[in-house]
Amino acid sequence: MRLLKILLAFCLSGIYTAKAQIRLPKLISDNMVLQRDQPIKIWGWAEPKEKITLTFNKKSFKTTTAENGKWEILLPAQPTGTGFEMLLKGKNEISIKNIAFGDVWLCSGQSNMVTPMERVKEKYPDDITNANFPDIRNFFVQTLTDLNAPKDDFPQGQWKAANPKDILAFGAVSYFFAREIHEKYKVPIGIINSSVGGTPIEAWISEGGYKNFDAIQKTIARNKDTSYVNSFNRRLSVPRNTTTQIKDLGLIEHWESPDYQPKGWRNMNIPGYWEDQGIKDLNGVVWFRRTFEVPKSWLGKPVKLFMGRIIDADEMYVNGKKIGNITYQYPPRRYEIPADLLKEGKNTFVIRVSNSAGKGGFVPDKPYYMTTNGEEIDLKGTWQYKVGEAYQPITFGGFGGGGINQQNQPTALFNAMIAPVLPMKIKGFLWYQGESNVGNPEPYNQLLPALINDWRNLWNDSNLPFFVVQLTNYQEINYTPSESNNALLREAQNQALTLPNTAVTVTIDLGEWNDIHPLNKKDIGKRLALSARNIAYGEKDLVHSGPTLLAQNIENGKITLTFSNVADGITSKDGEELRWFSIADYDKKFVWAKTKVIGKDKIEIWNEAIKNPKYVRYAWQDNPEGVNFYNSVDLPASPFRTDVESLDETKAWKGKKCSVVLTYDDALNVHLDNVIPALDSLNLKGTFYLTASSDAATNRISGWKRAAMNGHELGNHTLYHPCDASLPGMSWVKPEYDLSKYSLRKMQDEVKMCNTYLKAIDGKDKRTFAFTCGHKKVIEGEFIQTLTNEFVAARSVRSQMHSINEQNLMDIDCYSMEGTTGEQMIDLVKQAQSSGKLLVFLFHGVGGEHGLNVSKEAHSKLLHYLKENEKDIYIDTMLNVAEHIKEIKK
């Protein structure tokens, strides 16, 4: 017992001593850069009530640790300088050496921000050799996640100065940026690089930054439930062998061995993908082999081998010996063949390539050669291949799931990789991210401003400079005008420009079609530095952006575009006609346009086939290869389009004067044949209420499917269109469809059946309802309140308009059109414009097929008026307008 007490006392003493020690965050350490010209916080942890003394520059600063063990000391602002020391005393002493005061930049995003100088060393050998900048210092944050709460420190990390050895771990973009700023202003530059490849923007925003994102808030709350997160890690129990069975025939038979005699191998060209060369949809392992003649002069010398990029993983063998491997697709394949491995004459090269998704093989348009002493041997051409293993598709049953990817979850990276930086004063932010959001670019319009505002709020400075790198040109070139998620994401990145002290660095000319990680990081860093010089360092006359669209004017079949940021004028980089401009009428069917620079800041564009041009797009492609639209200081214009509206989602009618909804019932054949083509020609959207049992619905499903795909809403008009036969003028209603005889259960069933039918066409769950003949009652009374879970809104038939606050979503009024002229309908729209209300039109027939009919000519006049006044009128489907009303009324 005595021995136990001694041991316990010893352990408690150790714990007490450890707790009493002053501890500093990893950022407060040797070689750190602190922000000049601002009061500086030094913080850390120690025993509660412990007295802490900080000595700096012959002055002492004192504090006492709080009950929670935290302490902080505020130093007065310091001018630019290096070589300082700091001493902290409590129950222990900590000395911090070689402190610099300069500018600290937080650099964040995904893989292109973290791509190190090591990856681009062949492109920039002199920049690495000459990297002797002791006052450019980098703090690299390791990948960490936390789903629950912000962290207060990193588990590891240290400041490193730029020298030929340590520079290889610096992010290339951030280093070239820092070097530009350092050489221009002669101030120390601190880089805090907190980036993770393959991560979405959602992971980098704090919980407080999601105040206006209800769905994401729910995800954040759910992710804090440990039992929920752990449920993703459960697996369905599947019997399996206790030992791993090798299935790759190449490994079993040792196809890499010099003694192996190849049989049944086929030819394939490298570079290239095997799916393009005779192997269909294979996920698995493919082996490649070829012999090369090596001259005697190469023997005894190390040889560098470049095998481009390989998707996904590879193992490289030379004369039977493995010389290296890489486990994923992005790094360039750069191997060194040992000096004693090659022999004079024939040498056998074998590559084992495995791929589990998409096309496998060798990325085209990359370097494939080996070299020594300035001599090269080309490795491209015909190799032999053989399939070692074909992976079988895996299906999960039961509880399924491959685990939750925490680094992709909202707040996860902010909590662990940004929050510990918050006490540091900084000069600004560099942000290079977006590739992981390309699959769903639309939310980025709100997410990027949310990120910027969130970080500025957390640093308590609404003016902190924030610089965004726009996505580069990437993927195959499309030589016809087309839609592009990459273009949409670039457009969303430009939302940063709606906030003060921001800039977007255009890189549409710096990418590579076959590599999401282009090598030209130096020009990106230089262009970022131009933005910093203008915004953060006050060089207001410095042009830091390419030509930016100011206005368009349409006259005589041509569109004239006016630009700012042209410096001495618009230029064609290669002297040829400006490329990648397209033009369209209201139908938005874009065709390539001819261009002519007609002044310092103006371009005229046209196409003889488009008599009434309305819209322009520039570089609206994944990869507009060879853009040549620049200003005189060699900066390219950003991709843009004029066929999109800038809407303020926080205001009634999205910032416009009123809202108009076009709805169509009953004469469904006419609506398909007359109305939808008219709407599509002007890029307007309507709501079509379908009665599921009607011939025009059931016999023309493909037409309705196309309409839904084009953005029109398919609404619920019940299964059989029952109306109340007891009311005046309703004698035409068949007895079996007399709504006054319907039970509540029957009505509910028929409405739900129609919803099921509509979902089979458009795949959607949300929709709106239209009361048949405007009637609302069954035997038990009004039925709609029992179906509110089925619908976002319901349309009645009363000739009234309402403001957004007056609107009852389950009883939206509309104006029924019968023989109405175009002028009369336009007058109604003008009333809505002047009163700021919602106007809903109901058309039973347009051009025939129904007694309540409006002529095609009158309908066309209305549509053209709406289109011409689109800037003042929010025109959308009933569903989208109802959703908007819900958001505004929250």
Side-chain angles (χ1 to χ4, degrees), residues 637-650:
S638 171
F640 66 83
R641 58 175 174 164
T642 65
D643 58 297
V644 66
E645 294 181 283
S646 179
L647 301 175
D648 187 342
E649 302 286 343
T650 66

Side-chain angles (χ1 to χ4, degrees), residues 475-491:
Q475 296 183 333
E476 290 83 357
I477 303 168
N478 191 336
Y479 286 98
T480 58
S482 61
E483 299 302 324
S484 164
N485 274 14
N486 280 287
L488 287 169
L489 201 287
R490 294 183 194 112
E491 180 180 67

